[in-house]
Amino acid sequence: MNEFVYPEIKVGLHIVSLPIGCLSDISFRAVHMLSNSDYVAGEDTRNVKSLFKLLKIKKSMKGIISSHDHSSLDTRRKIIDLIKEGKSVALVCDAGTPLISDPGYKLVNTAIEEGLDVFTIPGPSSVIAALTISGLPTDTFSFLGFLPYTKSKKKNLLETYLKLEASLVIFESGKRLQKTLDLLSETC
């Protein structure tokens, strides 16, 4: 390899992974996509704007669309219509890969149902990062995302997955961590 060759930015929805905590982990391809896509849909437009400032990406705020779990059908429709008009839309979340316990599923599902192209710009994965440093077996694992809020629903889900002979990766908020650890200790 003598030079970077970026794939053509095609019309469609591009799922762009962002770093988890360390901005220097961003891929060249992600920066290229964010710099050259027609629009960027982000979980929090303030974070997207800050990211662009740090990466020295010049993009009008008109090119940044708020897209999160609570976005309306109208917002999803706007993004889908932009793609149908021949535009490229990059979807980002605040950190990591969109759709991995972050918003985006409804938008991707709608794009696929509409016959539109969906692409991935791979990058850091907190799931894989956590698994590789855990000391647990990595050949078979299940990712459960964030557990349900109530203790009984958490316990039912855990009891189902504990039957698997696999490492389990779970996300949890700092505020609920101790209660979840106590439940894991009690259930496991």
Side-chain angles (χ1 to χ4, degrees):
M1 288 184 170
N2 294 334
E3 61 185 83
F4 287 110
V5 178
Y6 297 105
E8 173 189 352
I9 296 177
K10 297 180 180 178
V11 171
L13 181 63
H14 299 260
I15 311 305
V16 181
S17 296
L18 296 180
I20 306 160
C22 183
L23 186 58
S24 63
D25 287 339
I26 196 165
S27 73
F28 290 113
R29 187 171 168 208
V31 173
H32 177 75
M33 184 70 218
L34 294 173
S35 300
N36 295 290
S37 62
D38 296 311
Y39 292 89
V40 174
E43 190 174 359
D44 185 331
T45 57
R46 295 169 298 186
N47 290 342
V48 173
K49 188 177 177 182
S50 294
L51 177 69
F52 283 5
K53 186 176 179 180
L54 289 167
L55 295 173
K56 298 179 179 26
I57 294 174
K58 306 264 191 270
K59 193 176 284 279
S60 163
M61 282 304 289
K62 291 179 184 177
I64 301 173
I65 303 165
S66 176
S67 179
H68 47 79
D69 266 347
H70 306 293
S71 291
S72 67
L73 179 58
D74 289 341
T75 300
R76 284 195 305 278
R77 193 80 256 150
K78 175 183 176 182
I79 293 169
I80 295 300
D81 289 345
L82 287 169
I83 297 168
K84 285 182 173 181
E85 292 168 10
K87 304 298 183 188
S88 58
V89 179
L91 177 66
V92 297
C93 59
D94 289 340
T97 302
L99 282 76
I100 305 300
S101 290
D102 281 312
Y105 165 76
K106 293 174 187 172
L107 178 59
V108 169
N109 193 25
T110 303
I112 291 169
E113 286 175 354
E114 297 274 341
L116 302 173
D117 289 329
V118 179
F119 306 94
T120 184
I121 310 331
S125 167
S126 58
V127 175
I128 300 302
L131 185 62
T132 59
I133 65 169
S134 70
L136 297 171
T138 58
D139 57 337
T140 305
F141 68 93
S142 287
F143 171 59
L144 305 184
F146 285 97
L147 297 177
Y149 189 74
T150 65
K151 183 176 180 178
S152 62
K153 287 182 180 179
K154 273 185 199 180
K155 191 171 183 175
N156 288 339
L157 181 70
L158 288 171
E159 286 172 349
T160 299
Y161 278 93
L162 289 174
K163 296 172 188 167
L164 293 177
E165 291 189 22
S167 298
L168 299 180
V169 180
I170 300 168
F171 282 175
E172 189 55 276
S173 72
K175 293 177 183 176
R176 299 185 336 183
L177 183 59
Q178 189 58 56
K179 286 183 179 180
T180 299
L181 289 172
D182 292 343
L183 180 64
L184 285 168
S185 178
E186 169 187 320
T187 307
C188 300

